[in-house]
Amino acid sequence: MKQSSTINGLYGHNTAHASSAGNAAILELVGGQTVSVMAISASYLIGAGDEVYCTFSGFMLYSTGPSIIIG
């Protein structure tokens, strides 16, 4: 999600075994905008609560002005 807009999504249905997937996006952001990962519905996540994993990372490719990184 970028702010409250969906950027990428995926859907998979396989009852035979566990599966995995990945996505990537390049976004133009301005100061104060947020990026997040979310599950639309927990009912689509298969497995025990400690068996559902997600990773998220971000990189600044270039800057067109002053940058402030809060970490």
Side-chain angles (χ1 to χ4, degrees):
M1 306 283 292
K2 176 182 171 184
Q3 299 294 96
S4 60
S5 299
T6 301
I7 301 300
N8 253 338
L10 64 95
Y11 172 80
H13 180 75
N14 186 339
T15 58
H17 57 80
S19 58
S20 63
N23 266 330
I26 297 175
L27 306 174
E28 183 175 355
L29 302 171
V30 297
Q33 287 186 312
T34 59
V35 178
S36 59
V37 176
M38 66 179 281
I40 301 299
S41 173
S43 64
Y44 295 123
L45 301 176
I46 307 295
D50 61 350
E51 295 177 341
V52 177
Y53 304 99
C54 177
T55 59
F56 174 82
S57 62
F59 303 93
M60 183 184 305
L61 300 178
Y62 67 91
S63 175
T64 59
S67 299
I68 299 174
I69 300 174
I70 301 172

